Amino acid sequence: MALVVMFQNVLAFLFISTFLHKTLNYGEHIRIMNAYYLVPARFIVPSFILFAAAELAIGLSLLLSGITVYHVVSIGSLLSIYTFAIGFNLMRGHRHINCGCGGILENDQLNWGLVLRNLLLVFLVVGIWKSHTLYTEEIAFIYGLELFMLSLILFSLLYLFKEVFNIKKKLIHLMKMFI
């Protein structure tokens, strides 16, 4: 049960961090959404607001209520939309677009690995939900708080590893420029 709660919390942090990244970089994200050429210009801002609100609602409700069938449906739907947009642009040959995923999931270019990652996330969500439904016992508050902190540490480590990897890529790029 502890692992299920931790994965659930990490998933919540993932959605909250993508919401924060996108809203703090609002102009950049609007530009990325325009680069996909899937939504008419007049609907870009309302689409941005709708997707950002959905990510925030999913993240906060996962933390507050735990995973439910509504989370499975909403996360599955949201990731399906994102996956379709990425796949459609890849098929059109538009690879040099930032994915617009935000936060720890951000990627500089579209690739089929992003499609696979999103599909795996959907399967992970279904697995967490199925595992969560097997356990109906209540978790003590202090134990829940410990799991929350462990989840936050795990998410922070994942974010740190991503940033270290990005720094490594930039250093390699700089070294190639001078060679």
Side-chain angles (χ1 to χ4, degrees), residues 11 14-15 18 36 75-87 99-101 105-106 110-126:
L11 195 61
L14 181 77
F15 277 97
T18 58
Y36 273 81
I75 292 170
S77 300
L78 198 60
L79 288 176
S80 294
I81 292 168
Y82 294 162
T83 303
F84 169 79
I86 292 168
C99 76
C101 304
L105 298 178
E106 192 64 42
L110 299 184
N111 60 66
W112 289 106
L114 297 173
V115 171
L116 180 62
R117 178 199 65 197
N118 286 353
L119 293 174
L120 290 174
L121 275 173
V122 170
F123 285 118
L124 177 68
V125 168
V126 171

Side-chain angles (χ1 to χ4, degrees), residues 43 61 90:
F43 295 121
S61 64
L90 285 170

Side-chain angles (χ1 to χ4, degrees), residues 48-69:
F48 169 80
I49 292 168
L50 181 68
F51 289 135
E55 289 172 354
L56 180 63
I58 288 169
L60 290 177
S61 64
L62 273 171
L63 285 177
L64 297 174
S65 68
I67 195 161
T68 65
V69 70

Side-chain angles (χ1 to χ4, degrees), residues 1-153:
M1 179 65 174
L3 283 175
V4 172
V5 171
M6 283 182 58
F7 281 129
Q8 173 184 289
N9 289 343
V10 168
L11 195 61
F13 298 146
L14 181 77
F15 277 97
I16 292 170
S17 74
T18 58
F19 163 79
L20 289 173
H21 185 267
K22 289 175 183 179
T23 54
L24 293 174
N25 300 297
Y26 167 79
E28 175 67 15
H29 193 71
I30 294 296
R31 188 189 63 72
I32 292 168
M33 287 179 73
N34 274 320
Y36 273 81
Y37 293 109
L38 291 174
V39 178
R42 67 176 183 237
F43 295 121
I44 293 288
V45 172
S47 297
F48 169 80
I49 292 168
L50 181 68
F51 289 135
E55 289 172 354
L56 180 63
I58 288 169
L60 290 177
S61 64
L62 273 171
L63 285 177
L64 297 174
S65 68
I67 195 161
T68 65
V69 70
Y70 302 112
H71 290 104
V72 175
V73 171
S74 59
I75 292 170
S77 300
L78 198 60
L79 288 176
S80 294
I81 292 168
Y82 294 162
T83 303
F84 169 79
I86 292 168
F88 189 72
N89 273 279
L90 285 170
M91 288 190 300
R92 292 193 301 187
H94 299 165
R95 297 184 186 288
H96 300 289
I97 304 172
N98 186 311
C99 76
C101 304
I104 196 171
L105 298 178
E106 192 64 42
N107 204 314
D108 293 339
Q109 285 187 302
L110 299 184
N111 60 66
W112 289 106
L114 297 173
V115 171
L116 180 62
R117 178 199 65 197
N118 286 353
L119 293 174
L120 290 174
L121 275 173
V122 170
F123 285 118
L124 177 68
V125 168
V126 171
I128 292 170
W129 173 67
K130 290 300 278 180
S131 298
H132 186 69
T133 57
L134 296 176
Y135 300 100
T136 56
E137 61 199 47
E138 190 67 31
I139 295 177
F141 176 76
I142 195 71
Y143 186 56
L145 191 58
E146 289 172 356
L147 291 174
F148 178 84
M149 294 306 293
L150 284 172
S151 303
L152 190 57
I153 290 168

